[in-house]
């Protein structure tokens, strides 16, 4: 019969951090469980090599998936910034845009305004006009220089 030694207080459920949400284990939690399992295994009946290799492969896969997730998140953030920069050349220019009737879905009117700034909101690129309105960049139908700039360039 194996003799149970004292359990490390760090492994008590009450002492575990509640930082993770959901049921997914992170790599740190997985490694802690694996180390506790190895540390507390029965010396007369140790974990088989196949089990250990399988768990290490699972840990390696988990780590790689977390790295990929981090890279994809960074890529998405960088793409959003690139879109804002891409449309920043519209600042100071006049844009014509269509106003859609919400009931019919048809073009109600075409308005014109001068772009004051470019911003991103919930994945959409918006143009803030000097009158304070914000329009989706996809609704722009025409871009022109401001009239004052056209006169000074002639």
């Amino acid at each position: 019969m194996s003799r149970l030694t004292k359990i490390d207080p760090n492994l008590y459920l009450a002492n575990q951090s509640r930082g993770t949400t959901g049921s997914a284990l992170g790599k740190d939690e997985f490694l802690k469980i694996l180390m506790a399992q190895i540390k507390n295994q029965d010396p007369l009946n140790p974990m088989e090599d196949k089990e250990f290799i399988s768990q290490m492969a699972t840990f390696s896969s988990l780590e790689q998936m977390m790295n990929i997730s981090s890279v994809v998140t960074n890529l998405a953030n960088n793409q959003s910034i690139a879109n804002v920069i891409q449309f920043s050349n519209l600042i100071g220019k006049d844009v014509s845009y269509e106003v859609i009737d919400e009931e019919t879905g048809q073009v109600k009117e075409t308005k014109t305004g001068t772009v004051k700034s470019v911003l991103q909101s919930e994945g959409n690129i918006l143009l803030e006009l000097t009158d304070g309105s914000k329009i989706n960049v996809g609704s722009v139908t025409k871009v022109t220089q401001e009239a004052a700039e056209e006169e000074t360039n002639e």
Side-chain angles (χ1 to χ4, degrees), residues 1-3 40-47:
M1 248 194 197
S2 66
R3 203 174 127 215
N40 295 310
Q41 68 182 335
D42 182 0
L44 300 175
N45 186 17
M47 185 187 319

Side-chain angles (χ1 to χ4, degrees), residues 40-75:
N40 295 310
Q41 68 182 335
D42 182 0
L44 300 175
N45 186 17
M47 185 187 319
E48 291 186 26
D49 292 343
K50 291 177 188 175
E51 284 181 69
F52 183 72
I53 290 169
S54 172
Q55 288 181 349
M56 289 306 293
T58 301
F59 176 72
S60 178
S61 296
L62 173 66
E63 187 173 29
Q64 289 303 315
M65 284 189 284
M66 291 180 76
N67 290 341
I68 289 170
S69 174
S70 173
V71 168
V72 169
T73 300
N74 287 337
L75 181 63

Side-chain angles (χ1 to χ4, degrees), residues 89-95 113-115 129 143-146 149:
N89 65 342
L90 296 176
I91 295 173
K93 299 200 175 162
D94 288 337
V95 292
T114 304
V115 178
L129 306 180
V143 178
T144 56
Q145 292 287 344
E146 285 186 284
E149 283 186 29

Side-chain angles (χ1 to χ4, degrees), residues 41-141:
Q41 68 182 335
D42 182 0
L44 300 175
N45 186 17
M47 185 187 319
E48 291 186 26
D49 292 343
K50 291 177 188 175
E51 284 181 69
F52 183 72
I53 290 169
S54 172
Q55 288 181 349
M56 289 306 293
T58 301
F59 176 72
S60 178
S61 296
L62 173 66
E63 187 173 29
Q64 289 303 315
M65 284 189 284
M66 291 180 76
N67 290 341
I68 289 170
S69 174
S70 173
V71 168
V72 169
T73 300
N74 287 337
L75 181 63
N77 290 340
N78 289 340
Q79 184 63 37
S80 297
I81 293 168
N83 286 336
V84 170
I85 293 170
Q86 175 187 357
F87 291 105
S88 67
N89 65 342
L90 296 176
I91 295 173
K93 299 200 175 162
D94 288 337
V95 292
S96 297
Y97 59 96
E98 296 176 339
V99 178
I100 306 294
D101 186 336
E102 304 225 355
E103 292 178 12
T104 64
Q106 300 295 318
V107 176
K108 183 165 57 172
E109 64 181 310
T110 300
K111 290 185 173 183
T112 302
T114 304
V115 178
K116 177 177 150 184
S117 65
V118 180
L119 56 123
Q120 177 197 357
S121 176
E122 299 176 3
N124 296 314
I125 302 300
L126 302 176
L127 303 177
E128 183 178 11
L129 306 180
T130 52
D131 66 1
S133 61
K134 294 177 183 170
I135 62 167
N136 190 309
V137 75
S139 65
V140 173
T141 58

